[in-house]
Amino acid sequence: MKKIVFLLAAMLSLTSCSILGGINWDSAQLGQAAGAAMTAMSITDAQIVSLCAQSIAQEDAQNRIDNGSYAARLKRVLSGVTVKGLVLDPKVYIKNDINAFASGDGSIRVYSGLMDVMDDNELFAIIGHEIGHVVNQDTKRAMKSAYLAAAARGVVNAAGAVGVLSQSVLGDIGQAYFNSQYSQKQELAADKFGFEFCVAYKKDPYAMYNSLQKLQKLSSSRQSSYLEKMFSSHPDNETRSKKVKDMADKYVKSAK
Ligand SMILES: [Zn+2]
C-alpha cells in the first residue's frame, strides 16, 4: 500500500518521502486518499502559511520559551535583519538540543543547546541556512507533503478546511513537517543562502563553513535528530563544507 502513496507523491512531484514512513494503510482509505490528495494539490500559499503558523503555535505551547539572556542574545544577533516577504518572529526554546528551524510563516526557533555551542557569527549563519529553506520554498514543499500525507490517510477534511484542523491532526501534520528531510541539493542551496546572508550583513564570511564544521564534529558525539537530518543523508559532507569554504575564499579574495 505504501507504494501507492509513494506513487501519489511522485505524481505530485513532491520531494520529501521520509514523512510517509510508518503508516498503516488499508484499502478502505484508498478511495478517500485519491480525493484528498487532489485537495492537497489545491492548497494555497496562504493556507500553507496558516498551517506553518498553527504548527509553530503548537510547538511553542509545548516548549519553554526563554525571556532572558538567550532571547536577548538572539534579538541582538538578528537586529536589523529583514527578509523580503517574511515577518521574522525569532524565539528561543530552553532545551539542551542542537536544533534550529525557520518556518514558512517567518517563525525562527533556536534551541538554547545550539546557542551554547555556537558563537554569534555561526549562529547567524545557521539561522541564515534555515531562512534559506524558507526563501527557497523547501519548507512550503515540506508542509505540502505533510498535508498530503494526512490527506492520504483521510484525516484531513475533504473540503480542505485548513483553518479548522483539530489539535491531533495538526500535531500529526506538524510532526511530519518538522521531521521532513531535505535533499542534498536543497541543503547546498540553503548553505549558499546562509553564506550570502552572512556577507550581506557583514558577518564573518567563513561563519557558514565554521558552523558546518562544528555541527559535523558534534554529530559524532551527540544524539540529535537535527544533526541526523542535516548530515546523515549526505555522505559527501567534505564536498559540502568545501563548497562554502570556496565561496568564502572567493569572496575574501575579491574584497581585497
Ligand atoms: Zn538544511
Side-chain angles (χ1 to χ4, degrees):
M1 290 300 176
K2 221 168 164 186
K3 262 186 193 159
I4 295 166
V5 180
F6 275 110
L7 201 74
L8 271 174
M11 275 163 58
L12 297 168
S13 306
L14 296 169
T15 51
S16 178
C17 286
S18 60
I19 61 163
L20 296 171
I23 297 165
N24 292 317
W25 302 93
D26 65 53
S27 55
Q29 287 181 312
L30 285 173
Q32 274 181 314
M38 292 303 287
T39 304
M41 279 180 77
S42 66
I43 186 169
T44 65
D45 283 3
Q47 286 173 320
I48 290 174
V49 169
S50 163
L51 277 173
C52 289
Q54 290 180 68
S55 301
I56 291 289
Q58 206 173 43
E59 278 295 298
D60 284 355
Q62 287 163 8
N63 282 282
R64 220 177 104 213
I65 295 170
D66 182 67
N67 287 312
S69 57
Y70 285 107
R73 181 181 165 208
L74 185 63
K75 195 178 167 191
R76 178 172 49 76
V77 165
L78 291 176
S79 78
V81 170
T82 54
V83 180
K84 204 179 160 200
L86 285 178
V87 179
L88 300 182
D89 169 33
K91 285 187 170 70
V92 181
Y93 291 160
I94 297 288
K95 208 168 188 180
N96 192 27
D97 265 353
I98 305 294
N99 203 350
F101 56 89
S103 192
D105 63 331
S107 307
I108 295 167
R109 298 294 181 266
V110 183
Y111 286 43
S112 57
L114 177 80
M115 293 181 73
D116 287 339
V117 294
M118 295 291 164
D119 70 22
D120 287 357
N121 276 291
E122 292 157 355
L123 182 62
F124 192 85
I126 289 173
I127 292 170
H129 172 102
E130 296 305 327
I131 292 174
H133 282 307
V134 177
V135 172
N136 296 339
Q137 313 229 325
D138 301 337
T139 52
K140 184 179 147 186
R141 287 189 201 100
M143 181 51 93
K144 196 170 174 179
S145 286
Y147 181 78
L148 171 70
R153 270 170 290 145
V155 294
V156 174
N157 185 328
V162 165
V164 290
L165 295 178
S166 71
Q167 286 297 301
S168 67
V169 169
L170 195 58
D172 208 43
I173 293 175
Q175 202 186 8
Y177 172 59
F178 293 123
N179 288 336
S180 43
Q181 202 151 1
Y182 296 131
S183 68
Q184 180 155 20
K185 201 177 155 199
Q186 287 172 310
E187 292 298 352
L188 288 173
D191 287 347
K192 185 169 181 280
F193 188 95
F195 161 74
E196 287 166 354
F197 188 65
C198 289
V199 167
Y201 285 96
K202 306 211 179 320
K203 307 285 179 186
D204 179 2
Y206 288 95
M208 190 74 250
Y209 172 70
N210 291 341
S211 66
L212 282 180
Q213 293 283 98
K214 212 175 244 187
L215 288 173
Q216 264 177 265
K217 211 169 277 175
L218 284 165
S219 69
S220 60
S221 60
R222 274 180 83 153
Q223 282 283 340
S224 157
S225 59
Y226 177 72
L227 294 173
E228 277 167 30
K229 272 196 289 182
M230 195 106 166
F231 297 116
S232 68
S233 63
H234 315 311
D236 209 357
N237 287 328
E238 291 301 316
T239 310
R240 188 174 162 190
S241 287
K242 193 181 175 303
K243 274 189 196 287
V244 279
K245 187 175 179 292
D246 286 349
M247 283 178 220
D249 286 343
K250 213 172 149 188
Y251 172 79
V252 169
K253 214 174 155 189
S254 70
K256 270 182 187 166

